[in-house]
Amino acid sequence: MKKLFKSFLILSAIAMAIPCFAQTPNTLTKKEKKAGWELLFNGKDFSGWRQCNGTAMPANWVIEDNAMKVFTGEGKKPGQGANGDILYQNKKFKNFELSVDWKASKMGNSGIFYYVREVPGKPIYYAAPEVQVLDNVDATDNKLANHLAGSLYDMLPADPKTVNPAGEWNTIVIRVKDGKVTHTQNGKKVVEYTLWSKEWDDLVANSKFKNFPGFTEGISKEGYIGLQDHGYPIWFRNIKIRELK
């Protein structure tokens, strides 16, 4: 019995010493594949992506540490975008769940967009809802609750306690089904709203978008997924989506 107990202790110690390996970035498990998830970023190059209102990738995006990284463009100061907003060009999406890991630099600011409708000469946010990406602590745009990370930008605030600080990864899941939208940040639902409703019209009317034709005419009911260049280093990885019926 003593020998058996000793063997158990040894095996337990070995098991505890073996590290638990996380899932390899930018891959899907068998379970995810079966559930219909697909990757929008392969971790190696920008296949499927291009500049908004352009044909190629902007110069201020690179692949770094298995992530796509946007940085301050040449000749620009932090906070000045270099026309580097990008789209996943292969498909427009209607009903879906989109999961994105993001990491902000100190003072970092960016955004994740869905239902993007390209309007020549206009920025990516001109006609698409934005899910905010932000260093809540040091970013200059942290004065309003609905400008903090995970928020429906300038409309509905997300709980700031759900956000990891600059330099650490966060996961945002955006679910859109027949106009009903939720934002889930690091496992907690933080925002909920319904598109094309009185609630939505009131949100727009009380936001900076109230005079944007892209919003007052009505946002699209399907569109591209997009990422913003706001002039700060931001990393994105594990960008995956599954369509909902």
Side-chain angles (χ1 to χ4, degrees):
M1 181 62 74
K2 289 183 178 179
K3 289 184 178 179
L4 182 62
F5 182 67
K6 185 176 181 181
S7 298
F8 172 78
L9 290 177
I10 293 173
L11 289 173
S12 297
I14 293 173
M16 292 177 65
I18 297 174
C20 295
F21 294 102
Q23 182 178 339
T24 303
N26 311 304
T27 62
L28 296 174
T29 64
K30 291 182 179 179
K31 184 177 180 180
E32 286 174 324
K33 291 177 181 178
K34 188 175 181 179
W37 289 93
E38 61 178 298
L39 290 172
L40 302 188
F41 171 56
N42 62 23
K44 300 175 182 178
D45 55 45
F46 291 106
S47 296
W49 295 84
R50 64 168 171 82
Q51 183 181 41
C52 182
N53 286 313
T55 58
M57 277 296 297
N60 63 321
W61 285 82
V62 294
I63 305 297
E64 181 179 289
D65 296 332
N66 298 309
M68 56 169 69
K69 176 187 176 183
V70 60
F71 56 92
T72 307
E74 185 176 353
K76 301 290 183 178
K77 297 179 180 179
Q80 294 180 332
N83 198 26
D85 299 336
I86 62 172
L87 304 174
Y88 182 74
Q89 66 177 353
N90 288 352
K91 190 173 186 178
K92 294 181 180 180
F93 296 94
K94 183 177 181 179
N95 291 320
F96 60 85
E97 277 186 298
L98 171 70
S99 180
V100 181
D101 290 355
W102 63 267
K103 181 173 65 173
S105 61
K106 184 175 181 178
M107 299 183 69
N109 189 337
S110 182
I112 300 167
F113 298 83
Y114 66 92
Y115 285 172
V116 176
R117 179 170 77 248
E118 289 181 285
V119 180
K122 299 295 183 181
I124 196 171
Y125 55 80
Y126 183 76
E130 176 182 356
V131 181
Q132 177 74 314
V133 167
L134 196 78
D135 168 16
N136 282 355
V137 176
D138 291 311
T140 58
D141 192 20
N142 67 352
K143 307 302 184 292
L144 299 177
N146 59 14
H147 285 199
L148 300 180
S151 298
L152 173 63
Y153 182 71
D154 208 56
M155 297 191 203
L156 286 173
D159 182 357
K161 295 191 295 294
T162 63
V163 185
N164 294 324
E168 295 185 16
W169 286 103
N170 294 270
T171 300
I172 187 80
V173 178
I174 305 158
R175 188 181 194 275
V176 185
K177 181 68 166 68
D178 300 329
K180 297 184 182 300
V181 186
T182 58
H183 303 177
T184 300
Q185 187 158 250
N186 292 325
K188 182 178 179 180
K189 185 165 69 174
V190 291
V191 173
E192 188 171 13
Y193 53 97
T194 302
L195 302 169
W196 316 299
S197 65
K198 184 180 184 305
E199 173 202 13
W200 175 257
D201 292 340
D202 290 344
L203 288 171
V204 172
N206 289 289
S207 75
K208 65 186 292 183
F209 306 108
K210 62 184 178 181
N211 295 319
F212 283 36
F215 279 80
T216 58
E217 293 170 2
I219 63 169
S220 299
K221 293 194 174 183
E222 68 172 7
Y224 295 112
I225 302 300
L227 302 174
Q228 186 181 36
D229 163 27
H230 208 308
Y232 295 95
I234 305 287
W235 294 258
F236 299 95
R237 70 179 186 187
N238 292 331
I239 306 171
K240 54 192 175 185
I241 197 166
R242 70 167 180 158
E243 296 188 78
L244 304 173
K245 297 181 179 179

